[in-house]
Amino acid sequence: MPVLDWIGKKAVVNHHRETPYRLIHCDSDLSAGDNNSGNLLVQGDNLEALKALLPYYAGKVKCIYIDPPYNTGNEGWVYNDNVNSLEIKQWLGKVVGKEAEDLSRHDKWLCMMYPRLRLLREFLQEDGVIIVSIDEIEEHRLRVLLEEVFGPRNFMADIVWKARQFNDARSLTGISKDHERILVFGKTQSAQPFKGLPRSMEKFSNPDQDPRGPWMSRSILGLADSNARPNLHYTFFDPQTEWEFSPPENTGWRYSKETMEDKISNNEIIFPKKKNGRPREKVFSSRLEGKTINFPSIIDDIFTANGTKELREIFGSDVFAFPKPSALISRLIYQVVSPGEIVMDSFSGSGTSGHAVLDLNKQDNGNRKFILVEMDEKIAPEITSERLRRVINGYDKGGDAAKPVEGLGGGFRYCRLGTPLFNEFGDVEEAVIFSDLAAHVFFSETGIPIPKRVDGSTPLIGNYQDKCVYLLFSASEQGFAREAAGNVLTPDTLASLPAVPDGSEGKRIVYAEGCTVTPERLKALGVIFKQIPYQIEGH
């Protein structure tokens, strides 16, 4: 399979694994609505935020929509991943420049995108889908990058979005830049297919008062010549006029002779008023109810200007450049996300994806959830969070109190990234509490998120398949193995380990600061001891 190479690729291939796990702290002052809705807005670097969220949401997200920097040279984005590479360290903290000014701009963009895509894939369910907005500057590189991360067989669509409503008179090439691209990949080949769009009934009518209801006419020509499908090449007659009709040599008819005769007897064939005309068939709307048409690969009825107007109406002024319209994101995520499922956006910007999820829930009384990440420390609280707050609670359209807009309901928690779980020496950070470490330990041991939050009242933190995971940890005694603190696996502690509630049997894996039980006894009882912090993955 062809792969893409660039300056710095070798240094970032495993960077998503090297990124530390961090704590997440919620800010009630910047949260809004129902805090228990399951919706999150995390402010912080999206690579670190994704790593922090992974123990809780790995394999749980149905749809990821991202709108990353298009790398136009006008966005002011900065490469800030602290990768151990001399080439890459020269880029840190510097705004990525335009084409002629910055010869490594595409390398920087690829180095930024690769580890984030690798982490994003881990969040998706097996039938999950990722949808990425992009334009012509990086689209061809992104397509190859997505094929490398998700696999070429999991490509689903390259959708053209006609983002510009009117001709671009500023174009120096004489060609108006009217469209952007939306790439769609599944995590696996069992990815959720798009649901499709409802059929329009506008073209149906009933001019002859057919008792079967409204209908539209359709061609009855086929697609095969007489060599390929000889059974579809025959003549038939209009029973009223006795005119004979034969198909074109290169097409034949759509139906076999027997089916055609049935349709004629059922008055489903419309015969022409002239002998040289072509018969057609009736297609009744009643037979198409509930059926859909495939989602088109061109979207040409929603524009960037709609997103700008929408945000202006929410804030009363232009606070964010070129926001995506929520109607566009709603249309996309509706295709693959059912009520109760999770949508993630790690480049959330003005919060359009969250707005779209809230709007869909309002429309069908669903309970879809969103996880948004925005790294800008001003945009996240002042625009992303504030937009969500206003659409949840309601707002005055364009700042005009005489034009109130009803709130969509719902809510979200506003969170910030805290300290890493492990310090520079590999020890558990002092700020880490039992529930934080338990979530990480369970995820690193089983590969799935912890079933529920635990508080340390019992050392059993969860079980999965053939593993029962226990944690003996005291936040006040970190780094010290003390039996009195309950962070040592002793014979008495081993004997008192609680059984799994469902009675299942399997390997018992105990994480603790120390152990006084002999290896022979542990083996005999089917217990595996792992020392904190040295045997915790990712420390």
Side-chain angles (χ1 to χ4, degrees), residues 320-373:
F320 193 90
F322 308 116
K324 292 291 186 293
S326 65
L328 174 69
I329 312 307
S330 294
R331 185 178 296 183
L332 291 167
I333 63 179
Y334 170 78
Q335 292 297 315
V336 293
V337 182
S338 299
E341 295 181 321
I342 300 174
V343 176
M344 173 176 273
D345 182 352
S346 57
F347 293 87
S348 65
S350 69
T352 302
S353 295
H355 186 170
V357 169
L358 294 168
D359 190 43
L360 282 176
N361 286 343
K362 180 73 172 180
Q363 291 178 36
D364 62 8
N365 199 31
N367 60 337
R368 302 169 188 83
K369 299 173 178 60
F370 63 75
I371 302 169
L372 308 183
V373 180

Side-chain angles (χ1 to χ4, degrees), residues 19-172:
T19 301
Y21 290 93
R22 290 183 175 272
L23 301 179
I24 296 178
H25 302 295
C26 294
D27 185 334
S28 58
D29 292 335
L30 289 171
S31 303
D34 179 8
N35 287 346
N36 296 317
S37 63
N39 298 320
L40 291 180
L41 167 57
V42 182
Q43 189 266 306
D45 178 87
N46 54 12
L47 186 63
E48 294 186 339
L50 290 174
K51 195 66 175 281
L53 292 164
L54 196 60
Y56 305 94
Y57 295 99
K60 288 189 173 184
V61 174
K62 184 58 175 290
C63 176
I64 294 169
Y65 170 80
I66 57 173
D67 183 17
Y70 284 10
N71 209 16
T72 62
N74 297 317
E75 298 154 309
W77 74 276
V78 177
Y79 186 88
N80 269 328
D81 289 356
N82 190 19
V83 181
N84 186 23
S85 163
L86 291 176
E87 293 169 319
I88 291 178
K89 285 188 180 297
Q90 297 174 11
W91 302 343
L92 294 179
K94 297 179 182 178
V95 175
V96 178
K98 298 181 180 180
E99 191 76 53
E101 302 168 355
D102 189 345
L103 299 180
S104 61
R105 61 195 295 262
H106 301 295
D107 303 284
K108 294 172 185 174
W109 190 85
L110 289 164
C111 282
M112 180 272 293
M113 289 295 296
Y114 186 85
R116 286 160 177 79
L117 290 173
R118 288 290 299 270
L119 275 183
L120 285 170
R121 186 182 184 279
E122 296 186 36
F123 282 92
L124 286 175
Q125 299 175 188
E126 289 304 295
D127 63 347
V129 172
I130 183 169
I131 303 172
V132 189
S133 285
I134 200 67
D135 74 0
E136 77 282 354
I137 294 175
E138 297 292 356
E139 193 239 352
H140 51 300
R141 280 177 279 268
L142 177 62
R143 171 73 180 265
V144 179
L145 195 62
L146 287 167
E147 287 184 351
E148 184 170 336
V149 174
F150 289 88
R153 293 184 179 180
N154 296 323
F155 168 77
M156 293 177 65
D158 182 351
I159 298 171
V160 175
W161 174 43
K162 188 178 183 302
R164 184 179 293 277
Q165 188 172 7
F166 303 108
N167 191 273
D168 182 9
R170 299 169 300 175
S171 171
L172 299 178

Side-chain angles (χ1 to χ4, degrees), residues 460-482:
L460 177 62
I461 61 176
N463 65 295
Y464 178 68
Q465 293 180 343
D466 64 340
K467 294 181 178 180
C468 305
V469 187
Y470 298 82
L471 176 63
L472 303 175
F473 174 73
S474 173
S476 61
E477 298 286 347
Q478 291 184 35
F480 300 95
R482 301 179 190 272

Side-chain angles (χ1 to χ4, degrees), residues 16 24 69 105 217 377 394 409 415 431 451 464:
H16 62 291
I24 296 178
R105 61 195 295 262
S217 72
E377 59 187 17
C415 305
Y464 178 68

